[in-house]
């Protein structure tokens, strides 16, 4: 049951990141106002979109899922910091980033027995 919940969480994360990346690549004009609001250069929308999709695809492949999770965490952490830098504390984008980041690692944790065996046993002798 936990593996299925982990897969559902992971599919949710992958879908959200691919959708976000696709908007950045295909219709960046939809995001121009938001990017300007956080003082992020608009011309980098395609780079952000590509990074988002690459991270999601790495996370989707079991062999590279851990690397994808690390990249997603860095990407979402940067989003949280960007909004914090412009004075947006507890804003919807920060909340969404936090939820997606948590779902990323929880999904991986529930699916991967190796991660579960290492996660909370590192300090046991």
């Amino acid at each position: 049951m936990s593996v299925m919940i982990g897969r559902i969480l992971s599919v949710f994360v992958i879908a959200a990141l691919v959708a976000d990346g696709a908007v950045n690549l295909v219709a960046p004009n939809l995001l121009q106002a938001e990017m300007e609001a956080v003082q992020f250069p608009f011309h980098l929308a395609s780079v952000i979109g590509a990074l988002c999709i690459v991270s999601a695809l790495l996370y989707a492949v079991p062999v590279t899922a851990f690397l994808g999770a690390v990249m997603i965490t860095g990407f979402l952490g940067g989003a949280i910091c960007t909004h914090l830098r412009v004075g947006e504390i507890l804003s919807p984008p920060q909340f969404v980033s936090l939820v997606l980041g948590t779902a990323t690692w929880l999904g991986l944790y529930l699916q991967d027995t190796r991660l579960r065996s290492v996660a909370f046993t590192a300090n046991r002798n």
Side-chain angles (χ1 to χ4, degrees), residues 13-113:
V13 169
I14 293 163
L17 292 175
V18 168
D20 183 43
V23 170
N24 275 286
L25 290 174
V26 177
N29 292 335
L30 296 174
L31 304 172
Q32 187 169 3
E34 287 82 6
M35 290 183 75
E36 289 172 357
V38 294
Q39 301 167 4
F40 211 87
F42 176 69
H43 70 275
L44 293 178
S46 60
V47 174
I48 294 169
L51 286 172
C52 196
I53 290 173
V54 166
S55 298
L57 292 177
L58 285 171
Y59 182 65
V61 177
V63 175
T64 58
F66 188 82
L67 175 61
V70 170
M71 289 178 64
I72 290 168
T73 306
F75 181 79
L76 296 173
I80 290 170
C81 285
T82 296
H83 288 277
L84 189 62
R85 183 182 60 80
V86 296
E88 294 181 8
I89 299 171
L90 301 174
S91 66
Q94 288 177 317
F95 179 72
V96 169
S97 295
L98 183 62
V99 167
L100 283 175
T102 302
T104 298
W105 283 102
L106 185 57
L108 191 59
Y109 176 82
L110 292 173
Q111 291 179 75
D112 193 336
T113 56

